[in-house]
Amino acid sequence: MKFFTISEAENNGVTVTVSDAYCDGYEMYFTMTATTDNNQVNQKDYLLPEKSQQVYVNGEETGAELSLKKAEDGSFVGLWHISAGWLADKTFKDLSTVDIKFTELYAKVENQPEPASTYLYLEVSEEYENVQMILTDADGNKLEKFGGTTTDPENGMYEIQLQFEQTDTNQIHVQVIDMDQSTNDNLAMVAEMTADLN
């Protein structure tokens, strides 16, 4: 199936336009263009959403791949890719709604190294429908996730994959918070564990 859509958003002097979407049921691609009057940004070669990126397909959080490269007209253009393999049922519906959220765009020059990623896989009991993970390294520094997926429960468990920026730590400390039982002043922690990276 193929479809065409145009969606545009502007914030802090950056205008982002999504167009030319295509999906065959298993792979989805669409074009994203960003423009800005910021001279410092316009001197860079790439824009990346980095760890602020969140992508949802029909309400299910999933991963996506995107970098925007400087074009001749001064805009930044990229092809966004979402694989159905990242979804729980491994396929896109005939009518799919994609929600894209990011709060930052990171500008970089050609050949500037990108941060590596670490992936953490967890299983959480399905009785906890609304959980959040707090990740810290061996020194207690918070690790910010910038991607991840959660499957529908099987055998009473959710399978959760978290993606975050690679660090030099040899341990990751995980706190699982039940957001339905938490308040601003009191987080309801239902599990705590340490993963060794050896």
Side-chain angles (χ1 to χ4, degrees):
M1 61 181 156
K2 184 176 182 180
F3 54 95
F4 179 82
T5 182
I6 294 179
S7 180
E8 186 173 284
E10 189 277 333
N11 191 25
N12 289 332
V14 179
T15 300
V16 176
T17 305
V18 175
S19 62
D20 298 322
Y22 174 82
C23 180
D24 63 5
Y26 300 99
E27 305 293 333
M28 181 182 292
Y29 298 92
F30 49 90
T31 302
M32 178 174 284
T33 304
T35 58
T36 179
D37 293 330
N38 186 305
N39 291 330
Q40 288 185 323
V41 172
N42 283 325
Q43 293 174 14
K44 305 295 185 180
D45 299 309
Y46 292 93
L47 285 180
L48 302 150
E50 290 297 306
K51 59 189 178 184
S52 72
Q53 168 184 308
Q54 290 180 298
V55 181
Y56 300 86
V57 177
N58 298 322
E60 178 183 349
E61 187 171 7
T62 185
E65 299 170 358
L66 172 72
S67 67
L68 303 173
K69 187 174 182 179
K70 188 73 170 288
E72 290 184 1
D73 65 0
S75 65
F76 294 86
V77 181
L79 187 66
W80 200 310
H81 170 230
I82 303 174
S83 173
W86 296 330
L87 302 176
D89 58 6
K90 309 302 182 187
T91 186
F92 292 101
K93 302 184 187 306
D94 289 339
L95 181 61
S96 293
T97 300
V98 179
D99 294 309
I100 304 165
K101 301 177 182 179
F102 50 84
T103 56
E104 299 175 2
L105 279 173
Y106 171 71
K108 76 181 195 77
V109 297
E110 188 80 46
N111 298 324
Q112 180 178 336
E114 296 181 30
S117 297
T118 296
Y119 294 85
L120 181 66
Y121 297 87
L122 302 168
E123 289 187 345
V124 176
S125 173
E126 66 179 338
E127 68 181 283
Y128 301 110
E129 296 182 4
N130 183 17
V131 297
Q132 294 290 332
M133 311 295 170
I134 298 176
L135 309 175
T136 52
D137 64 18
D139 297 321
N141 300 311
K142 188 174 180 181
L143 302 175
E144 296 290 347
K145 74 165 189 158
F146 60 89
T149 60
T150 301
T151 67
D152 289 332
E154 291 186 14
N155 302 319
M157 304 294 286
Y158 291 103
E159 291 185 4
I160 300 175
Q161 173 187 299
L162 301 176
Q163 180 185 8
F164 51 93
E165 188 173 319
Q166 179 71 52
T167 70
D168 294 329
T169 186
N170 59 2
Q171 286 187 337
I172 300 172
H173 187 68
V174 183
Q175 294 176 304
V176 183
I177 307 299
D178 183 356
M179 300 306 293
D180 290 333
Q181 301 298 321
S182 296
T183 65
N184 290 336
D185 299 323
N186 184 28
L187 296 179
M189 185 169 59
V190 296
E192 189 172 16
M193 67 203 79
T194 299
D196 290 316
L197 305 179
N198 294 322

